[in-house]
Amino acid sequence: MAEDVKPTRKNLMEIEDRIDLSERGHDTLEQKRDGLIMEFMDILDQAQDVREDVEQNYEDAQQTINMARAMEGDVAVRGAAAALKEHPEITVRSNNIMGVVVPQIEASRVSKSLDQRGYGVIGTSSRIDEAAEAYEDLLETIVLAAEVETAMKKLLDEIESTKRRVNALEFTVLPDLYESQDYIEQKLEEQEREEIFRMKKVKDKKEEEERAKAESESESEAAADAGTAD
């Protein structure tokens, strides 16, 4: 409440400093919010493309694995999958987007040549090779989707947090400070008018006393002159 602030010039200066700081903070947060939204929209477009790729690659992988099972049998497909010796590795690094730390995920040893998949070329058909390649593509797309979706969520959380801070400054902190500033300025003006009025009264009283003193002295002099004349 503005009335809780003591109306002094020191407090007025402190509030003016807080207003200046809050206004600059509000502008900075607005710029950050707008920048984050632009980054989010870019990632959102990428995320939509990646989601479509995941869905398409998943359908392709399912079709190729079903075809391989139909042609080679489930035992042969499982055996080819179990022959894999070098499994994919995931490396997670950090990337900074306008102060927001997001993951940068990299996958290695995902796509493999025929001799790296572990199963023998002889005794397996191209159906198994196609299924393996389709699932390698799917895995790479899933890793990219994980990176994009996580970055998008972190950016969205930061946008919401920044918006709350902007709104708090715009609709609560600054209006309260402006109200306190107006209250103190009004009270100081009232005090100044009262002081001017008081000083005027003191001056008038002093002048009145001086006139009365002068009149008294004049009367005394006149009486003295009259006595001397007699």
Side-chain angles (χ1 to χ4, degrees), residues 69-229:
R69 286 190 178 118
M71 299 295 294
E72 300 295 324
D74 191 62
V75 174
V77 172
R78 289 179 179 275
L84 182 64
K85 295 179 180 179
E86 290 187 355
H87 295 280
E89 295 182 356
I90 302 296
T91 303
V92 180
R93 296 185 176 87
S94 296
N95 187 25
N96 191 305
I97 301 178
M98 296 191 67
V100 182
V101 179
V102 298
Q104 185 174 359
I105 306 174
E106 296 180 0
S108 59
R109 298 180 182 177
V110 177
S111 297
K112 296 178 173 61
S113 60
L114 291 175
D115 59 326
Q116 291 176 328
R117 288 175 181 152
Y119 57 82
V121 178
I122 301 174
T124 58
S125 71
S126 62
R127 299 295 182 182
I128 291 180
D129 297 336
E130 292 172 358
E133 184 178 353
Y135 271 92
E136 289 168 359
D137 292 341
L138 175 61
L139 180 56
E140 288 183 335
T141 310
I142 289 174
V143 170
L144 178 58
E147 175 185 323
V148 172
E149 293 285 346
T150 304
M152 189 169 62
K153 183 180 184 304
K154 284 183 172 290
L155 282 176
L156 184 60
D157 291 342
E158 186 65 21
I159 288 171
E160 291 300 324
S161 174
T162 305
K163 285 173 63 177
R164 286 194 295 270
R165 294 167 66 187
V166 169
N167 290 338
L169 285 170
E170 184 173 348
F171 299 110
T172 302
V173 176
L174 283 170
D176 288 346
L177 289 174
Y178 292 145
E179 182 180 358
S180 297
Q181 181 187 33
D182 291 340
Y183 171 75
I184 293 177
E185 288 177 344
Q186 180 182 353
K187 287 298 182 181
L188 289 176
E189 288 176 0
E190 291 177 358
Q191 292 174 7
E192 186 175 355
R193 287 196 296 269
E194 290 174 356
E195 180 66 15
I196 292 174
F197 180 73
R198 188 184 68 81
M199 293 298 294
K200 187 175 183 301
K201 288 186 65 177
V202 170
K203 181 180 179 182
D204 292 343
K205 183 177 181 182
K206 185 177 180 180
E207 290 177 350
E208 183 179 348
E209 289 176 350
E210 289 177 351
R211 284 196 301 270
K213 182 179 179 181
E215 291 176 358
S216 176
E217 290 176 352
S218 297
E219 291 176 356
S220 297
E221 290 177 357
D225 291 343
T228 302

Side-chain angles (χ1 to χ4, degrees), residues 16-83:
E16 288 174 343
D17 289 342
R18 290 176 61 190
I19 288 175
D20 181 63
L21 180 62
S22 298
E23 287 177 340
R24 285 189 283 114
H26 177 268
D27 293 341
T28 301
L29 288 172
E30 273 194 328
Q31 294 174 6
K32 178 182 179 181
R33 179 200 61 193
D34 295 342
L36 287 171
I37 290 175
M38 292 178 64
E39 293 287 347
F40 177 81
M41 296 306 296
D42 291 341
I43 294 180
L44 179 61
D45 292 337
Q46 184 182 2
Q48 292 173 343
D49 294 337
V50 171
R51 287 170 185 171
E52 293 176 359
D53 291 342
V54 169
E55 293 177 0
Q56 184 61 53
N57 289 352
Y58 178 76
E59 291 179 4
D60 294 343
Q62 285 294 98
Q63 290 177 2
T64 56
I65 197 72
N66 290 335
M67 183 63 70
R69 286 190 178 118
M71 299 295 294
E72 300 295 324
D74 191 62
V75 174
V77 172
R78 289 179 179 275

